[in-house]
Amino acid sequence: MSLQLPPIAAPGDRLDRVGTPALLIDLDAFEHNLAQMAEFAARHKVALRPHAKAHKAPAIAHAQLARGAAGICCQKLSEAYPFAAAGIQSIHISNEFIGADKVAMAVALAGHVALSVCADDVAQVAALGAAASQAGVSIAVLPEVDVGQGRCGVDSADALSALVDAIARHRGLCFGGLQAYHGGIQHQDDWAGRRSAAGRAADATAAHVRHLEARGVRCGVVTGGGTGTVEFDAASGVYTEIQPGSYVFMDRHYGSLAWEGELRWRHSLFIAATIMSQARPGMAVCDAGLKSVAVDSGLPRLWPAERADQLRYTAANDEHGMLQVLAGDAHGLLGERLLLVPGHCDPTANLYDQYVGFRGERVECVWPIAARGLSR
Amino acid sequence: MSLQLPPIAAPGDRLDRVGTPALLIDLDAFEHNLAQMAEFAARHKVALRPHAKAHKAPAIAHAQLARGAAGICCQKLSEAYPFAAAGIQSIHISNEFIGADKVAMAVALAGHVALSVCADDVAQVAALGAAASQAGVSIAVLPEVDVGQGRCGVDSADALSALVDAIARHRGLCFGGLQAYHGGIQHQDDWAGRRSAAGRAADATAAHVRHLEARGVRCGVVTGGGTGTVEFDAASGVYTEIQPGSYVFMDRHYGSLAWEGELRWRHSLFIAATIMSQARPGMAVCDAGLKSVAVDSGLPRLWPAERADQLRYTAANDEHGMLQVLAGDAHGLLGERLLLVPGHCDPTANLYDQYVGFRGERVECVWPIAARGLSR
């Protein structure tokens, strides 16, 4: 008899029978988030190109496209492969890359999908342009402008012009517009402060657009924005396209921000865990530690809020989550099933091979996280 | 033409052609670490049962067994499956579990390998005992004693006796000895302090052993110890078996401890990364962020030490690693390949599907990380 790991869950299963740790999606909350963003983008007449780095699952990308998304973003070339294989036709790599292996991946992808990529150095453009021209494919290049984050992107008009000129030198490349994203302000707590910061980023972006227009270069696409600033970005009149990713899940960190505008999100991503040890009253240990939840943006919190008031996740070891009893029964916790809201959705999803989608008390779907671990 | 992601590397490839980010093993350093631990355990006449949670790769477990290891530890039942499938005959689950799905996995594993598990509550024993007896398999249960960590494990003689009695009630279970591990002292910086703390843990363990002996119960196995305390544990005369895991890799955090005894480790685990953006002098951005390196125990450091003196990894975004130029050339870094020593090996290895083993400038092997993500 061969040894086969049992599947994590199957449609129709009772939710409380799903083996833990498991990554769950509350489909009602998820669909609320999807619909709200789709409606918001449509009303503001900006294209919605959700970022697939948050979820890494073709099934979710298809759900976004079915509600009107124009395509998806990926952050890495390898990440785009399973989406291309699943029939996603338009993929924007919102990031820079260099090296022969990366150029080969871009050219291969461009043979299958409408591909756009970013660049912030003429050396990136030169390598890609030579390969794309030789292969007979066409890749849109969007120079990235630094609008305040100080990470990637050029910040001078001269450097931007040099990139536009470099792109024009290659038959296999075309100028696609601008990438402008300020990751550093997405998680600013206060809503008015976030609005001001997003306004400054939009102003910086607009200045680059005007500079190119003065040179006779029109930006067909101006793409950027994340979940934290998307309501301001969409209304700015600067961006033609928005790139939010985390909105589908609304993790603990994003959920803790002030949301004083019209957008109201719901937590849809949870980790199901089990208390597998309670050796003494007042504390307990669950089976979800560092390998089951990312803690870079804070520890997970129990769900629903009433249980979080009683039990706190206080530390993550590799395979153990430490819990402290704040109120309620200090004994008899062994075997209790918990729902945890992760601090940060992107790296948490990257730990799992499947999402278990549920509605009410039943499993409705199991979705492969096909791009998990694809970071090249 | 179908779209197929190119393999990360193949034996014989030049190391500088491996696509990044990639998880590398310096095989010379790795084999030094393996040999040193095997020799050390043999000399102290303790069994070596390395922890597979650190590496999750059957190829590494086989390398440890080939040098005399008695078997392996796993931390989760699902984690043990690929090792059992790869022919590892003796597996100890050094952790507690509860629930019908977990009991079913333990029984299935026990049909294929010599399995031992831990317990710290009679409820865990009752559920497992009923299932094991019914299935006609035999599982050794090692009660876990808390020797100072305050995580899992009983800390009273009465609770330990109750567990031993509970185990004896089931035909499918047998008492296997004691699990005694103090995770909290493994990373204590100073060597003498670590020695004292390990001594106290060993004393606490010895008291439990004596208590059981006074009841006529002999502990065939007393197992515990990690990389940080293994030299003291092995020499204590209390443990019959040691469970180090990280020693094969020696991550940045373990490597930063004082090692004043006879053990001298080498870093063998590295992340290969590429600088893919340098938009301004004095800083740079590489392609290895939170999805390519765990940062719970500190940021990665560049390797070798001379390069770390010039370039510092200062922040991890999801897919970007921020670098600051401390000395040397502040320009022209685009395309440079970096080696990073991760802060914490276990959760870093859990992000990748393969190790790329190299010797000198050539790839020698590609090892699947078959238990990656198996946290149930």
Side-chain angles (χ1 to χ4, degrees), chain A residues 123-145:
Chain A
Q124 297 151 349
V125 175
L128 183 67
S133 302
Q134 193 181 353
V137 298
S138 174
I139 299 175
V141 181
L142 284 72
E144 181 167 3
V145 290

Side-chain angles (χ1 to χ4, degrees), chain A residues 1 6 20 53 76 95 102 112 120 124 151 276-277 287 291 317-318 320 344 353 372 376, chain B residues 1 6 20 53 76 95 102 112 120 124 151 276-277 287 291 317-318 320 344 353 372 376:
Chain A
M1 202 177 66
T20 65
K53 79 187 200 61
K76 296 292 189 92
N95 198 4
K102 300 297 189 295
H112 289 77
D120 64 3
Q124 297 151 349
R151 188 171 71 180
M276 28 59 77
S277 170
D287 58 358
K291 293 179 185 170
N317 300 168
D318 284 359
H320 300 86
H344 190 177
D353 292 306
R372 187 220 59 77
R376 280 191 280 161
Chain B
M1 200 177 67
T20 64
K53 80 184 197 66
K76 297 292 189 93
N95 198 4
K102 300 297 189 296
H112 289 79
D120 64 3
Q124 296 151 349
R151 188 172 69 180
M276 28 59 77
S277 171
D287 58 359
K291 293 180 185 169
N317 300 169
D318 284 358
H320 299 85
H344 190 179
D353 291 306
R372 187 220 59 77
R376 278 190 282 164

Side-chain angles (χ1 to χ4, degrees), chain A:
Chain A
M1 202 177 66
S2 87
L3 189 64
Q4 198 73 37
L5 196 61
I8 185 94
D13 283 356
R14 275 175 45 185
L15 185 61
D16 62 6
R17 295 290 175 82
V18 174
T20 65
L23 193 61
L24 307 183
I25 296 179
D26 177 336
L27 293 169
D28 288 334
F30 169 77
E31 290 168 5
H32 162 86
N33 294 341
L34 285 191
Q36 177 173 242
M37 187 63 91
E39 186 279 329
F40 183 80
R43 184 151 42 84
H44 288 274
K45 299 189 169 45
V46 291
L48 173 60
R49 183 181 287 276
H51 217 304
K53 79 187 200 61
H55 57 73
K56 288 180 172 275
I60 295 181
H62 280 301
Q64 293 169 319
L65 291 169
R67 287 167 179 80
I72 62 168
C73 294
C74 288
Q75 199 74 317
K76 296 292 189 92
L77 290 154
S78 66
E79 188 177 67
Y81 273 64
F83 293 98
I88 309 292
Q89 294 291 321
S90 174
I91 301 180
H92 173 55
I93 309 295
S94 57
N95 198 4
E96 283 73 18
F97 55 87
I98 196 157
D101 59 316
K102 300 297 189 295
V103 165
M105 285 198 268
V107 167
L109 281 165
H112 289 77
V113 303
L115 184 74
S116 58
V117 305
C118 292
D120 64 3
D121 194 292
V122 293
Q124 297 151 349
V125 175
L128 183 67
S133 302
Q134 193 181 353
V137 298
S138 174
I139 299 175
V141 181
L142 284 72
E144 181 167 3
V145 290
D146 178 13
V147 292
Q149 184 168 16
R151 188 171 71 180
C152 301
V154 296
D155 60 5
S156 77
D158 285 352
L160 178 56
S161 293
L163 283 169
V164 172
D165 293 345
I167 293 163
R169 269 179 228 122
H170 298 276
R171 184 169 38 90
L173 304 182
C174 64
F175 172 71
L178 292 184
Q179 162 83 23
Y181 174 68
H182 192 329
I185 61 177
Q186 297 302 319
H187 289 91
Q188 194 168 322
D189 280 352
D190 91 292
W191 188 81
R194 221 152 68 236
R195 183 175 54 184
S196 304
R200 288 190 295 276
D203 290 346
T205 305
H208 285 296
V209 173
R210 283 194 305 271
H211 157 71
L212 289 181
E213 279 174 355
R215 283 195 55 201
V217 177
R218 196 175 161 276
C219 294
V221 172
V222 180
T223 185
T227 294
T229 61
V230 73
E231 57 191 310
F232 317 119
D233 304 327
S236 69
V238 175
Y239 298 90
T240 67
E241 183 177 276
I242 52 174
Q243 304 179 352
S246 305
Y247 76 97
V248 297
F249 293 144
M250 192 44 48
D251 57 31
R252 180 183 176 179
H253 198 186
Y254 262 126
S256 71
L257 306 187
W259 292 95
E260 295 172 18
E262 56 186 299
L263 298 174
R264 292 291 177 273
W265 306 107
R266 293 175 59 185
H267 289 309
S268 73
L269 189 72
F270 301 93
I271 293 144
T274 301
I275 293 178
M276 28 59 77
S277 170
Q278 188 185 23
R280 57 199 60 79
M283 56 76 72
V285 186
C286 77
D287 58 358
L290 287 173
K291 293 179 185 170
S292 303
V293 60
V295 300
D296 57 276
S297 301
L299 294 172
R301 183 163 51 187
L302 272 79
W303 187 260
E306 304 81 60
R307 196 68 184 115
D309 291 340
Q310 300 174 320
L311 202 56
R312 181 181 294 155
Y313 191 109
T314 57
N317 300 168
D318 284 359
E319 289 89 2
H320 300 86
M322 304 300 296
L323 301 161
Q324 185 190 351
V325 179
L326 304 174
D329 198 349
H331 300 77
L333 302 177
L334 185 66
E336 179 178 337
R337 292 175 66 92
L338 310 174
L339 288 182
L340 307 175
V341 181
H344 190 177
C345 58
D346 297 49
T348 296
N350 192 46
L351 298 170
Y352 289 84
D353 292 306
Q354 287 112 10
Y355 296 106
V356 177
F358 71 97
R359 211 178 297 270
E361 298 303 317
R362 290 282 167 187
V363 172
E364 188 170 302
C365 57
V366 178
W367 288 337
I369 306 178
R372 187 220 59 77
L374 298 184
S375 293
R376 280 191 280 161

